[in-house]
Amino acid sequence: MKFEDLITEINGFGRFQKMILCISFVGRFTIPCHFLLSNFIAAVPSHHCDISFLDAEGIFGNLSREQKLTVSIPAQDDGTPASCHMFSYPQFHLLTNSSSSAELPVVQCQNGWEYDNSTFISTLATQWDLVCDNKGLNKAVTTIFFVGVMFGAAFFGGMSDRFGRKPMLLVSFISGMAFTLASIFSSSFIMFAVLRFFSGFTITGIVIVSTVLNVEWVDIQHRRLVCIIDSMAWAVGSTSLSLIAFCIRDWRWLTVAVTSPLLLSTILWWWVPESARWLIANGKAEKAHYYLHKCAVMNCKEEVISRIKPEALSIIVTDGGKKNYSYLDLVRTPKMRRLALLTGTIWFCVATMTYGISLNITGFGLNMYLTQFVYGAIEVPSKLMVYYLLEKIGRRKTEAGAQLLAGISLMINIFIPKDQWVGRTVVAVLGKGFAVAAFCTIVLYSSELYPTVLRQNGMGYNSFLGRLGVSVAPLVLLLDSFWGHFSQTILCSVALIASLVAWQLPETRDRCLPETIEDVEGPGVMFRSQESRCAQKNKKQKTKQLEQFQGPFKMFY
């Protein structure tokens, strides 16, 4: 008996599967909001030294605001007040003499800063004065968050394979919400940074667990559709963030707003089923039968599951429940070791390239809210293209082709003069579209390549390397200070390397998902069609098991 046969018989994409997708969509909506939240909560508004203490001493007399700034703060080249310096003492002669103030003695701001609140009511910068000498701490917020995401991916991947998908999903919902909401009550930047780390650590479990859970409950024909629906949550969340941030200009209330969907997700979690594949692989046939029965009833296929007893499910995988798997099992056998090396390389490369492009696209001439909206909207046609290509040409060609075209786009931009911003922007947007297509494809591709007993470990390991790539991307962009096209050259090279690596992976279109390590290590098993692989698997069942169970369940053999 093969699990794909059973899922197909009870409708592999019925009401039950659609319910799981809708519930996971709510939780996944918050992921891009938190990943991109620093664009708004860590924004630095226009600012200059606070001179109110001079006004309190009566030094200015009846001067207007503009005159007070003129005599207290040196002007920059564009005429605006300097952000980090003020005159050591008021220069009243500047009111009548328009000579340059460059030679006048200045000091650092003595009494804090005054911020322009026309765009933001409050940000991290205004909360803890993260400007001038401390401006680097704003960028550190993003790095700290993604370091948490990186370690959280490895943690939730391993724990989900050990304790199940459903329990760890609840842990991610509750802990992610708790740490994020606790961060808004931070009394210092250090306290906020620590809580932000744990927010990233816990919230990443949502995407790690839900991706695998969705794939494990649908049949082969609908895997690509599930992949696209999952990825559309990112596009919806990314575009919605711009609208939410436009309406809420205070960093605390913005954080609450993008976290609030997790409360609904926690309530809906009660309707989330455990993965029947995982239960069977871990020797819990009784509970697997319970969830399969619920699926069959909701999909109006109760007559199918009524003919199957729980003990019959135990022959689906032969080593279920006999071993606890860990990350070490990814490298213990040769083909698993090769698979981990190839997929890990692709995840690192595609993450570095995607975020490198996203952080380096300029020239739109739009404000930050509209730019964020455009970045999210670009992903929609890219993912619709992936939905079409996954079926027409397969996973391997889609992944390798998307990486190749992204690399070509980056290469073209190296030779376009920087003053031709329209052409550079169009090519950069195309590059981002191809990068998003590659990212979307590799998520589904990886979940199909790893066996059930190691799928969460594999996805956790890959996500860890992907988040490492995200952390590296800003550092790559800093290399432009040595040569203007340095970062583009590196990102182009990374994309082309990933394209070559993707060609080394086996195709998984219309294949049964591997259940055990033996399914991967077996000779050529990953390359067989669904029919031949399932037929060979059934042939290997022991004669005694066939005699005991084949009668009532002939349709599955």
Side-chain angles (χ1 to χ4, degrees), residues 34-51:
H34 279 280
F35 278 25
L36 302 172
L37 188 61
S38 292
N39 287 345
F40 300 99
I41 68 171
V44 181
S46 300
H47 56 279
H48 58 76
C49 296
D50 184 6
I51 57 174

Side-chain angles (χ1 to χ4, degrees), residues 120-275:
F120 300 100
I121 296 175
S122 174
T123 68
L124 300 181
T126 64
Q127 180 73 31
W128 290 296
D129 288 334
L130 306 182
V131 295
C132 299
D133 291 343
N134 293 325
K135 63 182 179 181
L137 295 179
N138 280 294
K139 297 185 181 298
V141 170
T142 304
T143 302
I144 290 169
F145 176 80
F146 278 110
V147 169
V149 169
M150 182 171 64
F151 285 102
F155 173 80
F156 278 94
M159 292 299 100
S160 295
D161 269 342
R162 176 166 294 186
F163 299 108
R165 286 37 165 162
K166 183 174 181 177
M168 297 312 298
L169 188 61
L170 180 63
V171 170
S172 185
F173 284 152
I174 295 178
S175 59
M177 183 166 50
F179 281 115
T180 302
L181 294 180
S183 69
I184 69 175
F185 298 104
S186 300
S187 57
S188 67
F189 176 78
I190 293 177
M191 179 180 176
F192 176 82
V194 171
L195 290 172
R196 191 68 179 148
F197 170 86
F198 284 107
S199 296
F201 184 94
T202 52
I203 205 170
T204 191
I206 297 173
V207 65
I208 293 295
V209 177
S210 63
T211 296
V212 172
L213 186 62
N214 289 338
V215 169
E216 289 183 336
W217 267 110
V218 298
D219 57 16
I220 295 174
Q221 291 75 20
H222 291 94
R223 283 187 212 149
R224 65 189 179 104
L225 177 60
V226 168
C227 169
I228 299 303
I229 294 175
D230 276 350
S231 65
M232 280 298 179
W234 182 278
V236 173
S238 182
T239 53
S240 298
L241 175 62
S242 62
L243 302 177
I244 298 171
F246 181 79
C247 297
I248 304 175
R249 306 298 180 96
D250 180 88
W251 75 269
R252 286 188 171 90
W253 286 111
L254 179 58
T255 302
V256 172
V258 300
T259 308
S260 57
L262 291 182
L263 179 60
L264 177 60
S265 296
T266 303
I267 297 172
L268 295 175
W269 172 86
W270 295 101
W271 286 270
V272 174
E274 180 56 271
S275 168

Side-chain angles (χ1 to χ4, degrees), residues 80-94:
T80 59
S83 299
C84 302
H85 296 91
M86 61 185 296
F87 294 125
S88 56
Y89 55 89
Q91 305 293 324
F92 291 102
H93 69 278
L94 293 176

Side-chain angles (χ1 to χ4, degrees), residues 371-544:
T371 300
Q372 180 63 53
F373 183 86
V374 172
Y375 282 176
I378 289 169
E379 298 186 13
V380 176
S382 175
K383 291 170 180 177
L384 292 176
M385 177 185 69
V386 169
Y387 177 73
Y388 175 79
L389 293 177
L390 286 176
E391 180 63 25
K392 291 298 180 181
I393 64 176
R395 279 64 161 158
R396 179 170 57 183
K397 291 181 180 178
T398 301
E399 178 64 26
Q403 294 276 13
L404 177 63
L405 292 173
I408 292 174
S409 300
L410 290 164
M411 186 183 299
I412 292 173
N413 246 354
I414 294 175
F415 299 100
I416 299 178
K418 290 193 174 182
D419 57 348
Q420 297 183 15
W421 62 270
V422 175
R424 287 180 61 83
T425 299
V426 171
V427 174
V429 170
L430 289 175
K432 184 185 178 185
F434 292 128
V436 168
F439 217 145
C440 179
T441 302
I442 194 59
V443 173
L444 171 66
Y445 202 3
S446 298
S447 66
E448 293 179 333
L449 286 167
Y450 285 90
T452 299
V453 294
L454 278 176
R455 189 165 294 125
Q456 281 285 191
N457 280 322
M459 293 299 288
Y461 152 79
N462 286 320
S463 185
F464 178 90
L465 291 180
R467 300 316 166 197
L468 180 61
V470 173
S471 302
V472 168
L475 303 179
V476 172
L477 298 180
L478 292 177
L479 297 176
D480 282 343
S481 59
F482 299 99
W483 177 46
H485 299 297
F486 208 159
S487 66
Q488 296 292 300
T489 303
I490 292 178
L491 295 175
C492 173
S493 302
V494 164
L496 296 179
I497 290 172
S499 179
L500 292 175
V501 174
W503 279 108
Q504 308 306 311
L505 291 172
E507 179 58 67
T508 61
R509 180 179 56 167
D510 295 331
R511 263 66 171 180
C512 296
L513 289 180
E515 305 290 353
T516 66
I517 294 177
E518 286 71 21
D519 286 345
V520 177
E521 294 296 327
V525 95
M526 289 294 292
F527 298 91
R528 294 194 181 103
S529 67
Q530 177 189 355
E531 291 78 9
S532 63
R533 287 185 61 213
C534 292
Q536 201 224 6
K537 180 85 174 179
N538 293 332
K539 260 177 153 188
K540 289 183 177 180
Q541 301 299 333
K542 294 179 180 179
T543 305
K544 184 177 179 180

Side-chain angles (χ1 to χ4, degrees), residues 48-60:
H48 58 76
C49 296
D50 184 6
I51 57 174
S52 60
F53 72 101
L54 295 174
D55 200 13
E57 295 175 1
I59 296 177
F60 292 138

